[in-house]
Amino acid sequence: MITQMLARETSTALSDASTNSLYASAVVLTLAMLSFGVDLAQSPARAARESARRTTVVQDSADGAGDGSTAVLTRTETGEPAVPEKRQWAGIGMSLSWLGAFLLIACVVLRGAAVHRPPLGNMYEFATVGAAFTIAAYLLWSLKRDVRWLGIFVVGPVLLVEMLAAMVFYTDATQLMPSLKSYWLSIHVTVATLSIALFTIGFSLTLLHLIQERVEAGSTERFAFMKALPSSERLERLGYSVHIIAFPLWTFTLIAGAIWAQEAWGHYWNWDPKEVWTFVIWVVYAAYLHARVTAGWNSRRASYIALAGFACIIVNYCVVNVFFVGQHSYSGL
Amino acid sequence: MTPPDDLTAAYATTDEDRTSTSSKGSGDGPTLPRLGFLGGLRWFWRQLTSMRTALFLLLLLAIAAVPGSIWPQRGIDAVRVSDYLAQHTTIGPWLDRFGFFDVYSSPWFAAIYLLLVVSLLGCILPRTKQHWQNIRSQPPKAPRRLERLPAHTSATVDASHDDVLAAAREVLRSKRFRLRVQDDAVSGEVGALRETGNLLFHVSLVVVIVAVAAGHVLGWRGDVIVPEGGDFASTVTQYDTIDPGPWVDVAGLTPWSLHLDKLHVSFEDGVPTDSPQYGQPRSFTADVTTGDEDGRTEQRKISVNHPINEGGASVYLLGNGYAPVVTVRDKAGKVLYRKATPFLPQDNTYKSVGAVKVTGATPQQLGFAGFFVPSLDFDDRMGPISTFPGLRKPALVLTAFEGDLFPDGRPQSVYTLNTAKMTQLKGANGQPLRLLVTPGQTVQLPGGQGSVTLEKTIPRWAGLSVRSDPGKIPALVGALAGLAGLVMSLTLRRRRVFVRVAPAPSSDASSAAAEGGERRTLVTVGGLAKGEDPRLGAAVEEILAAISTRTGRPA
């Protein structure tokens, strides 16, 4: 009895530590978002300085060689202006993102330790794990490529989810209901949250692609910061490559969920609202992949389908979990 | 779902590739005065199997699936459907008319997915044929001017024409290209598995759909409620409900039997009583003894997520509740009714409804209807409520009726009374009689009609579901094969690479001659991808570098 009480006390301490870690992560990521914001806000001035310097270099070498076209060649050979200006604020943003990510991962791990199971049992836990996957995926990507321009568009959604988790979805650390006690919980829900994390990054890229397309077409004067981002075509391709990783993972989520449903409820497909929406999301993203290769469909229309897919993910998470009656009633709210 | 077409045009310029299933199906429409019947059919077929139609049907399928998650469905919860219809008398019947309570078996939903399956077949068949021909045919000849291709690069190497071509063949072969060799060029093609994967994915979808349909017609499910200490034998008559597929012969089911020894249930009581987690279920396990056809018995456990297999079917523990043992005696003390009577939980507190039907009572049959409450408390507004799903202060709260229990002989729910031909018993004060019976207590009925006793131990019941679905394994295999095909078709690249050699335009022919007849050779490598391929340029560079290294003498 006493050991039991001790155990309970420990888990309360751990779950409090987990919650504090979440708050800390939210504060750090807020600062990261602001830093990325400052970096983007500086980008028009930076671009202006860059082009000014280029002109100077060209003029300098033009003075020496007396011929413009040779001067350009000289410039590339010396490589002098190829050293880009140091982006201090972006650097701060990246460092803070790493810190925020570690705090968020600590939140997830402490929660798991507090409840002695994978922390994937209710909406609060899905939200924190999904946010952790999102920022981790972004940071791992940033190790290979310079994606500092994307920072604010990933940290922003992650922060939003953290705040919703802390304020709306919060559920006390408890044990699971019988139907969730299965090793399929780790498999099915982990992959589901991972693929939602990737769909989130894909959503940001797709949205940026659509904005960039308008900026490039000159149909809007706003979004001056978009000049610091890659071209709309490249944004579209990046969005596509993220989606083609997320889509097979979502397919796997669907299959793993069906296997688990067979074990827990006796049939692999029950047209439960959650199943329906998982299927709807799958179909919409399948339509996106098809739309991209359909003759006569431009990338904009395909992008709209991808955005619709993400809207379905939001509905699946926020509406289906809370308002629809079904067998996936695990919100804990 | 015709093949991804964006670069097919570019492909077609370099080889005999024909896009037999063009998505511009009506392209020759305006020039022909009449299509005729066959032409019309062909036109219709092309429209149906075009990518645009497939895309439209996909989006339509997504939209059509949504209502089934918003409105209750008969196949899942018929009670909620009738509740909805009772509450929404205006819109309810209209929704019902259009199948909104049976979305997934409604004609319009079926129309969409059947059209999609036809479209799918119309995509798979011609593409399979084309793919088969493609992988059996040689890669196309190298185009004359490789610099016209989207990726190309060239270099001069210090090696003879033949050595360079040999090196190019080795390099491409080591990268698993299929080759076609000409006098002055090599063509290679790689990545046929991309299309194989794509076809595998689409074929798998058909397999899954067929498997689901097979499970529907060949599978069956039966549900039964067994109280602790109760027995059950798997024959048609013993099931409370049985739902066989159209091709299932229920008389031929393998017989087996089951005895429910004990049901272990636990609920969350370690959190504050105002937490939403308080009273949530934590574990359900049934200890059972099963007996097969030959009479061999075995002790087993069934719990949520851990079904057992028996007689070719799976047995699931899907529900539980209380089956209080109620004894009804006549005024002489003779037992008229003694049975573990299952009550059906209404909510998470296990306030349960049920009915006791005493057919042997005289002069009139007796019926009791009401609630079983595991942890009794009284609420000012709602009357008796349960504060916890576990047995803390159990009680039966019943009203009593006399009259004809089965007025028209029709089957009725075991949990409710049909009081159409019954009159309610009144208490001494003239109000309808309400009995509150606690375990071990006996309550007398007014007018010397006898007594009702609730026995001390209160057994639980297990809701078992027995299911057989021969389609589930094929469906799983199909789904996994589809996933593999999907990954192949999204990650593999389909490329053609051409290597062309020519004598280097020698600025100093004398030095070449001085090297004893060896010639400097200009190697050009060009690449073409089907679909987009951001790494094509890098791949072409890599191949050129490998050829240069292999000839040993990069110029």
Side-chain angles (χ1 to χ4, degrees):
Chain A
M1 191 66 201
I2 289 168
T3 48
Q4 234 177 3
M5 284 183 63
L6 276 178
R8 200 170 292 289
E9 255 168 27
T10 327
S11 69
T12 319
L14 282 173
S15 78
D16 286 350
S18 161
T19 317
N20 288 336
S21 191
L22 177 68
Y23 294 156
S25 169
V27 172
V28 171
L29 288 185
T30 309
L31 296 175
M33 198 174 72
L34 289 173
S35 310
F36 282 127
V38 172
D39 176 61
L40 279 189
Q42 286 177 341
S43 69
R46 194 163 51 230
R49 278 200 299 280
E50 179 87 351
S51 72
R53 209 170 39 193
R54 239 180 239 189
T55 331
T56 343
V57 172
V58 170
Q59 270 168 1
D60 285 354
S61 38
D63 289 346
D67 179 21
S69 58
T70 340
V72 176
L73 275 177
T74 325
R75 181 172 61 85
T76 32
E77 272 162 20
T78 55
E80 191 190 332
V83 179
E85 207 173 313
K86 213 171 174 188
R87 288 161 60 185
Q88 209 167 16
W89 283 106
I92 295 173
M94 287 308 292
S95 306
L96 288 172
S97 301
W98 279 101
L99 181 59
F102 279 120
L103 287 167
L104 184 54
I105 291 167
C107 156
V108 170
V109 170
L110 287 170
R111 178 80 173 195
V115 291
H116 309 291
R117 58 172 169 80
L120 297 163
N122 50 50
M123 272 178 88
Y124 168 74
E125 292 168 1
F126 306 147
T128 49
V129 172
F133 271 132
T134 313
I135 189 133
Y138 168 70
L139 289 173
L140 290 179
W141 192 16
S142 78
L143 292 178
K144 299 186 87 179
R145 295 271 183 90
D146 179 7
V147 281
R148 289 176 292 179
W149 51 268
L150 187 59
I152 191 169
F153 307 105
V154 171
V155 171
V158 168
L159 184 60
L160 182 69
V161 172
E162 281 189 348
M163 283 162 50
L164 284 174
M167 287 151 64
V168 184
F169 303 138
Y170 184 77
T171 312
D172 283 327
T174 48
Q175 289 312 304
L176 297 176
M177 62 175 82
S179 56
L180 286 182
K181 283 183 183 151
S182 166
Y183 58 89
W184 283 105
L185 177 73
S186 321
I187 302 170
H188 169 64
V189 188
T190 308
V191 178
T193 42
L194 176 60
S195 72
I196 289 177
L198 294 174
F199 277 131
T200 309
I201 297 176
F203 166 77
S204 283
L205 288 165
T206 308
L207 203 60
L208 289 172
H209 155 67
L210 289 171
I211 297 172
Q212 189 73 300
E213 211 177 36
R214 292 191 57 192
V215 172
E216 281 171 2
S219 55
T220 174
E221 289 299 310
R222 287 175 300 164
F223 309 119
F225 65 85
M226 291 299 289
K227 298 265 185 339
L229 269 58
S231 69
S232 72
E233 197 184 325
R234 199 170 130 67
L235 285 170
E236 202 274 339
R237 233 182 15 236
L238 286 174
Y240 173 70
S241 29
V242 174
H243 278 122
I244 61 169
I245 306 172
F247 185 70
L249 288 174
W250 192 252
T251 312
F252 179 81
T253 303
L254 198 63
I255 297 172
I259 298 172
W260 189 10
Q262 175 72 46
E263 226 172 80
W265 301 327
H267 200 293
Y268 56 85
W269 197 260
N270 302 295
W271 290 112
D272 177 73
K274 196 82 181 182
E275 288 173 347
V276 171
W277 279 90
T278 304
F279 173 70
V280 166
I281 291 164
W282 188 83
V283 169
V284 172
Y285 278 110
Y288 161 71
L289 294 182
H290 282 95
R292 271 189 99 257
V293 292
T294 300
W297 271 58
N298 53 19
S299 67
R300 191 186 311 154
R301 278 205 261 176
S303 298
Y304 284 139
I305 297 181
L307 297 189
F310 195 71
C312 291
I313 287 181
I314 302 285
V315 170
N316 191 27
Y317 181 73
C318 292
V319 180
V320 176
N321 278 353
V322 183
F323 298 106
F324 288 0
V325 181
Q327 289 173 301
H328 281 82
S329 306
Y330 308 131
S331 68
L333 296 181
Chain B
M1 280 178 234
T2 52
D5 268 1
D6 42 357
L7 261 181
T8 322
Y11 254 78
T13 57
T14 60
D15 69 82
E16 62 284 353
D17 242 358
R18 273 192 304 269
T19 50
S20 57
T21 51
S22 161
S23 42
K24 297 176 198 72
S26 57
D28 50 358
T31 55
L32 288 171
R34 286 177 62 162
L35 285 169
F37 179 67
L38 269 180
L41 272 185
R42 182 173 296 153
W43 180 85
F44 178 73
W45 177 249
R46 284 215 179 151
Q47 286 299 314
L48 184 61
T49 57
S50 81
M51 186 81 136
R52 258 178 240 218
T53 312
L55 193 55
F56 174 72
L57 287 172
L58 269 177
L59 290 173
L60 204 60
L61 182 69
I63 294 167
V66 170
S69 71
I70 298 175
W71 285 287
Q73 299 294 298
R74 282 210 177 84
I76 301 167
D77 197 341
V79 178
R80 278 185 59 225
V81 175
S82 38
D83 286 354
Y84 186 94
L85 284 172
Q87 282 164 23
H88 301 80
T89 46
T90 327
I91 194 168
W94 280 100
L95 288 172
D96 201 12
R97 213 158 291 164
F98 289 105
F100 277 75
F101 301 114
D102 302 281
V103 167
Y104 308 109
S105 49
S106 69
W108 45 270
F109 193 76
I112 297 170
Y113 72 72
L114 286 177
L115 281 174
L116 207 50
V117 169
V118 174
S119 168
L120 197 57
L121 291 173
C123 143
I124 293 170
L125 296 176
R127 274 176 72 180
T128 309
K129 188 177 159 212
Q130 197 184 343
H131 184 53
W132 180 249
Q133 286 166 349
N134 260 1
I135 51 177
R136 284 165 56 95
S137 65
Q138 278 195 320
K141 286 183 182 167
R144 193 153 298 280
R145 297 169 62 87
L146 295 182
E147 56 274 22
R148 283 190 176 168
L149 296 178
H152 60 87
T153 181
S154 62
T156 310
V157 291
D158 236 347
S160 75
H161 180 281
D162 290 344
D163 288 350
V164 175
L165 275 187
R169 280 200 301 274
E170 280 171 37
V171 167
L172 290 180
R173 201 164 280 146
S174 73
K175 291 181 182 292
R176 314 182 72 169
F177 278 79
R178 294 188 304 118
L179 298 186
R180 173 179 192 148
V181 181
Q182 292 162 259
D183 288 344
D184 56 351
V186 180
S187 322
E189 191 172 65
V190 80
L193 278 179
R194 180 187 178 88
E195 179 71 356
T196 309
N198 200 318
L199 286 170
L200 175 63
F201 171 71
H202 287 100
V203 170
S204 302
L205 287 183
V206 178
V207 171
V208 170
I209 292 169
V210 170
V212 170
H216 192 72
V217 294
L218 295 170
W220 59 274
R221 63 174 283 188
D223 297 302
V224 64
I225 278 177
V226 185
E228 279 176 319
D231 285 290
F232 163 73
S234 177
T235 56
V236 182
T237 49
Q238 292 247 328
Y239 285 101
D240 296 336
T241 58
I242 187 159
D243 179 15
W247 295 357
V248 176
D249 174 23
V250 283
L253 299 183
T254 318
W256 50 272
S257 68
L258 177 148
H259 177 83
L260 178 60
D261 304 314
K262 183 139 184 66
L263 185 68
H264 306 275
V265 173
S266 74
F267 300 99
E268 180 67 69
D269 57 358
V271 293
T273 50
D274 57 351
S275 160
Q277 294 292 326
Y278 181 74
Q280 289 288 320
R282 287 295 173 246
S283 82
F284 302 127
T285 308
D287 290 340
V288 298
T289 309
T290 54
D292 65 10
E293 241 175 315
D294 308 324
R296 279 190 297 267
T297 60
E298 194 185 345
Q299 299 238 325
R300 299 162 89 172
K301 280 182 191 302
I302 312 176
S303 61
V304 182
N305 275 316
H306 296 94
I308 60 168
N309 290 312
E310 197 58 68
S314 304
V315 186
Y316 296 86
L317 174 64
L318 290 190
N320 68 89
Y322 295 101
V325 182
V326 179
T327 309
V328 180
R329 293 184 175 84
D330 65 11
K331 63 182 165 198
K334 193 182 128 208
V335 173
L336 299 174
Y337 178 99
R338 170 174 278 170
K339 214 163 118 185
T341 312
F343 277 62
L344 195 64
Q346 298 301 292
D347 53 29
N348 278 345
T349 67
Y350 278 56
K351 181 178 176 181
S352 314
V353 295
V356 176
K357 299 177 185 183
V358 191
T359 46
T362 47
Q364 283 188 303
Q365 293 180 325
L366 278 175
F368 303 89
F371 297 103
F372 173 78
V373 187
S375 300
L376 180 71
D377 198 354
F378 282 97
D379 184 273
D380 291 340
R381 229 161 26 83
M382 300 170 63
I385 55 162
S386 177
T387 54
F388 189 75
L391 287 174
R392 288 188 176 165
K393 195 184 168 196
L396 271 175
V397 183
L398 298 174
T399 49
F401 294 84
E402 59 181 356
D404 192 359
L405 280 168
F406 300 93
D408 40 14
R410 252 191 261 150
Q412 49 174 263
S413 162
V414 293
Y415 303 110
T416 53
L417 282 185
N418 181 344
T419 56
K421 292 269 174 70
M422 301 191 91
T423 49
Q424 191 160 13
L425 297 186
K426 298 266 176 17
N429 54 3
Q431 291 294 308
L433 179 70
R434 206 171 72 170
L435 307 171
L436 182 71
V437 200
T438 54
Q441 199 187 9
T442 298
V443 177
Q444 297 297 325
L445 293 174
Q449 277 181 302
S451 66
V452 178
T453 311
L454 175 60
E455 303 299 332
K456 266 216 171 84
T457 50
I458 293 170
R460 296 172 189 274
W461 55 258
L464 299 178
S465 188
V466 184
R467 299 179 184 212
S468 164
D469 182 353
K472 68 183 176 189
I473 295 300
L476 178 63
V477 170
L480 291 177
L483 182 60
L486 180 67
V487 171
M488 278 161 73
S489 77
L490 289 176
T491 53
L492 297 176
R493 299 262 167 248
R494 195 165 167 199
R495 289 173 181 152
R496 281 176 185 165
V497 167
F498 307 99
V499 181
R500 191 169 269 288
V501 293
S506 50
S507 50
D508 47 352
S510 56
S511 76
E515 280 177 39
E518 284 201 34
R519 302 283 299 275
R520 282 158 60 85
T521 308
L522 175 69
V523 195
T524 313
V525 182
L528 183 64
K530 183 149 187 170
E532 62 194 58
D533 188 348
R535 294 186 46 78
L536 180 65
V540 165
E541 294 286 353
E542 207 176 292
I543 287 167
L544 180 64
I547 294 173
S548 304
T549 318
R550 213 168 273 243
T551 53
R553 268 160 296 180

